[in-house]
Amino acid sequence: LPAKEVRSDSQFMLNAFYRSMGLKQLLIANLELLASSGRNFKEVLFELAKINLELKNFDEAEQYYLQLLQSDELFTDALSDLSFIYYQKQQFLKSLAFSQRAINSAPNNLDILFNHCLVLLSLDQKQEAASLIDTILTVNPNYQKAKNLKKQLQ
């Protein structure tokens, strides 16, 4: 049956099936139907954004994340993923802005701090990035990605 002809709770079961079978295009189509129904809107938008990001559909993912931020401007995952999207698009100033907002939303998240270092380096702000790497390593001396990046910067 087409997804639109089943009960709405069945659509959630279809999502699980499509997800488990790796049928991402069918999952996207089903999620879009759910989004239009308004049920679990935030969760559905977030899943649409993540799947599109996985598929490297950056423009679509960007739009879903921006919609999420309209209802929750401190949605850390949306802020962080938008920073990544803009980084991939080489829009480094936009990436920096969303990265900073992600840090403000989750200041103790070392992965977000590390990703911010990468954005800083893309903007040739090596000293600020190095300082932030030291901060990360003070909190967690075993944070391997930061250790590797510090070696590269020396």
Side-chain angles (χ1 to χ4, degrees):
L1 288 175
K4 66 182 178 184
E5 294 179 17
V6 297
R7 296 182 353 216
S8 59
D9 59 338
S10 296
Q11 287 178 308
F12 290 104
M13 291 171 33
L14 277 173
N15 285 345
F17 174 74
Y18 293 152
R19 197 176 301 107
S20 70
M21 298 299 293
L23 302 170
K24 292 185 179 180
Q25 294 304 326
L26 288 172
L27 179 57
I28 288 172
N30 197 50
L31 287 167
E32 287 171 345
L33 283 172
L34 277 171
S36 67
S37 76
R39 292 189 65 207
N40 296 34
F41 188 68
K42 185 176 177 179
E43 293 82 4
V44 170
L45 278 183
F46 183 62
E47 189 165 2
L48 278 165
K50 291 301 270 185
I51 293 167
N52 277 288
L53 185 59
E54 284 176 27
L55 295 173
K56 295 183 172 46
N57 297 334
F58 295 133
D59 292 336
E60 291 85 353
E62 174 187 8
Q63 292 310 309
Y64 289 122
Y65 283 126
L66 290 172
Q67 280 184 292
L68 281 166
L69 290 177
Q70 290 175 0
S71 63
D72 181 0
E73 61 187 40
L74 296 177
F75 195 135
T76 304
D77 289 328
L79 295 167
S80 179
D81 287 350
L82 278 166
S83 177
F84 173 78
I85 289 168
Y86 293 126
Y87 184 88
Q88 293 300 310
K89 291 180 169 187
Q90 298 187 357
Q91 295 177 12
F92 300 123
L93 290 175
K94 273 187 169 182
S95 179
L96 181 67
F98 280 97
S99 181
Q100 188 60 59
R101 287 176 63 189
I103 290 172
N104 292 341
S105 175
N108 298 318
N109 185 315
L110 297 183
D111 291 329
I112 289 174
L113 292 173
F114 178 78
N115 291 339
H116 188 69
C117 289
L118 298 178
V119 176
L120 291 169
L121 289 171
S122 71
L123 292 166
D124 205 30
Q125 296 180 19
K126 185 176 178 180
Q127 190 164 6
E128 191 175 340
S131 176
L132 191 52
I133 290 168
D134 289 339
T135 300
I136 292 168
L137 291 172
T138 299
V139 173
N140 181 356
N142 297 317
Y143 194 97
Q144 195 59 48
K145 292 187 291 186
K147 287 169 63 174
N148 293 343
L149 187 56
K150 183 171 182 158
K151 283 181 187 175
Q152 289 177 8
L153 292 175
Q154 294 175 342

